[in-house]
Structures are given as structure tokens and as C-alpha cells.
């Protein structure tokens, strides 16, 4: 039987530097008998030469569309908007199974081309647990942007935080040093007190990342409020959020609960809160427990104003949908190693549970497509 070929495509989303295949995991797959083609990329956090040294075959950027049908295309973010049918099997975050905006247009491309989407978000083991996720590094990066935003608001009242460029931070250590430098300027202007940070979902992977970032930046453990299921059980809104300097939401909900905060709860007298960070970043979800915004922010425009009244300071929210790109090398290494055992089973994907479950879910979602989407 011919070896299975994986084709790593170059990402096209602006400032998306992560990758689901690193040079290390590429070498592991090559050693397991797979063939690996890697598209050249000037944006990816790992250099082309690192993949070449691992034994991969370097190919032109964007060449994935023209490779043999039996090649499996692996990437991270969804493909650019287009109506062209897709004939390959793709491994990626599709962002179309929850009926997000234009979900039918995107999903129908696979159906019309007789291709297949293995959505990374829904790759699960037999117990239903995701096999790979960026949760920890999303939390870490979200807290990083929130700390930078808080510091900038203290030192530059009335001004929005400028662009946070992932290219400025070659490593997680560089990012932490930048936060420390920023805090060294802002804390003296805040009665020499560090920000009081409330993290909801603090016991999960995402929340752990947020807490670790705060600690690495020098925020005392006494200034970090770690909330989880027990603390949120009574139901919001919570006055403790308005009393904190910074609030980081690290949970994602699939069912509605009372919101953690509302514009009304944050308009009451005495608010200290300056920055909200919603790591879940799903403003269009009716179950979002932070219903304070309607669009995501970006690395170019990392914060957006929240329109509230009252006597509190200016209030902003950060909600970037590819936060781990800020720590792209560490995030990619961690994620790719989690994904590796499943990737090694691709040569028997018609029988291996994680891939069978993913294909069955794809077929189920295709059946939900409106007829018009399939005929366009």
C-alpha cells in the first residue's frame, strides 16, 4: 500500500503564525512512514529550512489545491472565502459546525467537491474529550493582551492600546518581559498597587494559562481571584467583576446561563474594572456569558470600547480569535504533540475512532445544509 501523504498548507489569515505540524512532529510522522509536503511560508513561526532539515519536501505556497486527491491537506484556520468546490480531505478549524456566519457557504464547498472536513475542534477520543486544543496558550496570550491594555490605559488615559504585533515576540519569554516593563510604568500610577485580576474558569486549561501569565508577569497571587464552577454557581451578574481591575473569561458554554456581567451591572457606581478579556471570543453565540460586544478585536486593534455609564474608568474589551499566535512557537509545539498520536493513525482513518467520529460528524452537518447551498 502506498504511504499516506500529508500536505501542510501555508496559513493565509493575517498574523497567523501557528501551525499544526512542527519540524519535530513532521520528523515523527516521516519516521512512521508518512510522506510530508510543506508549503513554503514567510509567516509561519518555524522556518522552511527547519522542515527541510527534518526531511520534509518543500513545495510552493498555495499548491495544495492542485495535488492528487488522495493527499490529506492539513492547516489551522479556515480557508479564504471562495465558492470553489473542495475535493480533498482537509484537517483544519472549519468554524462552520455551529452555524456561524456563512457556515453553509463554507461547508457546502466540501460537499459539492466530494471532499471531507476533519474539523480539529471536534476531534475527540472515545469519551468525547478533545484530543488537541490551544486552551492553555489562548489563556496565557489573552491575559498578556489584557495586562498590556490595562497598563496602557493607566499610563495613557483616553487612548486605545496600539497594535500588539506577534512578530515582536519571538518567544513567550520575550512577551512576559514586555508585560513586566509595561507594568513597571503603570503600577506606580495606580497607587503602587498591581491590578486585581478575576479569572473565571481558572481551573481549566485556558484559565490555568491566564493565571500563569499573570504570575509570570509579577502579579502577586493575592491579587488573582481564581473562580470556577463553585463561585459562579449562584448565577450572575457578579458585583465582584466590577470591583476587579481586570476580568478574564476562560470558559466556553454550550447552554445558556445568567451572564457574568452586563452593561447594566457595569454601570453601577464605584466600578474599578478597566479591561475585560473574553478568551472564548464568540460574540455571536447566544450562550456567551459576556454579552458586552458584537465583534472580535484584532492584533491590529486589540481593544474595543464598552459603552457603559457610571463613574468608573474607561472600559474596554479584548477578544482576539487567534490569541495563541502571540506565543506561536510554544503553542504550536504543544498543540502538535497533542495531535500527533491521531495523525499517526491517519493511514487507517476509515477504522480509527477519532477519524471515524470526525467523518460521521461532517456527514451529519452536511445533511443540515439548505438545498440552495448545495446547488449554488
Amino acid at each position: 500500500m502506498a504511504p499516506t501523504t500529508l500536505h501542510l498548507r501555508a496559513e493565509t489569515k493575517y498574523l497567523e503564525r501557528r501551525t499544526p505540524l512542527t519540524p519535530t512532529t513532521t520528523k515523527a510522522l516521516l519516521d512512521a512512514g508518512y510522506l510530508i509536503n510543506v508549503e513554503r511560508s514567510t509567516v509561519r513561526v518555524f522556518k522552511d529550512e527547519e522542515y527541510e532539515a527534518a526531511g520534509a519536501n518543500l513545495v510552493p505556497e498555495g499548491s495544495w489545491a492542485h495535488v492528487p486527491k488522495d493527499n490529506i491537506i492539513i492547516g489551522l484556520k479556515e480557508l479564504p472565502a471562495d465558492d470553489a468546490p473542495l475535493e480533498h480531505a482537509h484537517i483544519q478549524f472549519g468554524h462552520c459546525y455551529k452555524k456561524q456566519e456563512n457556515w453553509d457557504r463554507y461547508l457546502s464547498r466540501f460537499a459539492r467537491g466530494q471532499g471531507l472536513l476533519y474539523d480539529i475542534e471536534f476531534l475527540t477520543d472515545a469519551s468525547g474529550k478533545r484530543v488537541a486544543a490551544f486552551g492553555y496558550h489562548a489563556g496565557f496570550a489573552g491575559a498578556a493582551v489584557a495586562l498590556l491594555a490595562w497598563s496602557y490605559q493607566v499610563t495613557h488615559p483616553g487612548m486605545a492600546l496600539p497594535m500588539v504585533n506577534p512578530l515582536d515576540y519571538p518567544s513567550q519569554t520575550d512577551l512576559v518581559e514586555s508585560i513586566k516593563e509595561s507594568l513597571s510604568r503603570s503600577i506606580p500610577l495606580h497607587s503602587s498597587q498591581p491590578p486585581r485580576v478575576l479569572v473565571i474558569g481558572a481551573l481549566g486549561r485556558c484559565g490555568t494559562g491566564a493565571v500563569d501569565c499573570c504570575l509570570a508577569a509579577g502579579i502577586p497571587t493575592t491579587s488573582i481571584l481564581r473562580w470556577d464552577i463553585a463561585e459562579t454557581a449562584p448565577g450572575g451578574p457578579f458585583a465582584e467583576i466590577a470591583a476587579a481591575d481586570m476580568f478574564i473569561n476562560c470558559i466556553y458554554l454550550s447552554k445558556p446561563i445568567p451572564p457574568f456581567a452586563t452593561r447594566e451591572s457595569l454601570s453601577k457606581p464605584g466600578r474599578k474594572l478597566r479591561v475585560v478579556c473574553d478568551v472564548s471570543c464568540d460574540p455571536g453565540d447566544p450562550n456567551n456569558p459576556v454579552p458586552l460586544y458584537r465583534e472580535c478585536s484584532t492584533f491590529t486593534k486589540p481593544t474595543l470600547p464598552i459603552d457603559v455609564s457610571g463613574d468608573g474608568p474607561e472600559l474596554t474589551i479584548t477578544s482576539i480569535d487567534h490569541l495563541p499566535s502571540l506565543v506561536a512557537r510554544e503553542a504550536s509545539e504543544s498543540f502538535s504533540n497533542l495531535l500527533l498520536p491521531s495523525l499517526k493513525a491517519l493511514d487507517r482513518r476509515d477504522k480509527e475512532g477519532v477519524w471515524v467520529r470526525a467523518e460521521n460528524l461532517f456527514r451529519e452537518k452536511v445533511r443540515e445544509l439548505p438545498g440552495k447551498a448545495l446547488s449554488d
Side-chain angles (χ1 to χ4, degrees), residues 1-8 21 25-38 54-57 70-74 91 339-350 352 354-355:
M1 185 174 66
T4 301
T5 300
L6 269 73
H7 184 109
L8 176 63
L21 278 188
T25 52
T26 293
K27 176 67 164 55
L29 287 166
L30 288 165
D31 290 345
Y34 289 83
L35 298 180
I36 309 294
N37 295 325
V38 175
N57 178 42
D70 62 356
N71 285 202
I72 300 172
I73 315 302
I74 183 168
I91 302 171
L339 190 60
L340 181 60
S342 298
L343 294 177
K344 284 184 174 181
L346 273 169
D347 57 357
R348 52 185 188 277
R349 60 189 178 279
D350 57 336
E352 183 63 28
V354 62
W355 301 110

Side-chain angles (χ1 to χ4, degrees), residues 66-284:
H66 309 292
V67 300
K69 287 185 182 181
D70 62 356
N71 285 202
I72 300 172
I73 315 302
I74 183 168
L76 204 62
K77 302 300 284 187
E78 64 272 25
L79 296 165
D82 195 344
D83 287 323
L86 297 169
E87 61 183 12
H88 297 93
H90 286 256
I91 302 171
Q92 61 176 244
F93 286 100
H95 301 297
C96 59
Y97 283 1
K98 302 172 189 171
K99 299 189 177 179
Q100 295 96 325
E101 185 177 3
N102 293 321
W103 73 278
D104 51 346
R105 178 180 177 186
Y106 193 73
L107 186 58
S108 69
R109 294 179 63 188
F110 296 91
R112 289 184 286 111
Q114 297 184 11
L116 175 60
L117 171 62
Y118 292 118
D119 196 312
I120 296 175
E121 184 178 354
F122 299 94
L123 296 181
T124 61
D125 62 18
S127 69
K129 182 180 179 182
R130 289 177 62 180
V131 300
F134 282 102
Y136 177 88
H137 290 94
F140 195 101
V145 175
L147 286 166
L148 291 170
W150 181 86
S151 288
Y152 198 83
Q153 286 178 218
V154 171
T155 56
H156 298 77
M159 297 178 63
L161 176 68
M163 178 180 183
V164 176
N165 191 340
L167 298 175
D168 292 338
Y169 308 106
S171 71
Q172 188 168 292
T173 300
D174 295 306
L175 175 62
V176 170
E177 288 305 311
S178 178
I179 299 169
K180 286 180 176 178
E181 182 181 347
S182 180
L183 288 171
S184 72
R185 296 190 296 269
S186 58
I187 288 177
L189 302 177
H190 190 247
S191 303
S192 295
Q193 295 297 312
R196 188 170 172 83
V197 183
L198 194 159
V199 180
I200 292 186
L203 300 183
R205 284 180 295 192
C206 180
T208 299
V211 170
D212 284 355
C213 178
C214 292
L215 292 172
I219 305 299
T221 187
T222 53
S223 295
I224 305 172
L225 285 72
R226 298 170 173 86
W227 279 29
D228 212 87
I229 295 174
E231 290 79 7
T232 58
F238 300 106
E240 290 88 344
I241 290 177
D245 296 297
M246 202 165 76
F247 162 48
I248 306 175
N249 175 48
C250 291
I251 72 164
Y252 174 81
L253 289 176
S254 58
K255 58 183 180 181
I257 64 169
F260 295 154
T262 63
R263 283 184 171 80
E264 291 72 24
S265 70
L266 298 179
S267 294
K268 294 179 180 179
R271 173 178 54 82
K272 295 181 179 179
L273 186 70
R274 289 178 181 269
V275 176
V276 174
C277 174
D278 187 14
V279 180
S280 68
C281 194
D282 208 350

Side-chain angles (χ1 to χ4, degrees), residues 280-300:
S280 68
C281 194
D282 208 350
D285 189 334
N287 298 322
N288 186 358
V290 188
L292 302 171
Y293 64 112
R294 293 194 177 97
E295 62 179 317
C296 295
S297 60
T298 64
F299 285 122
T300 304

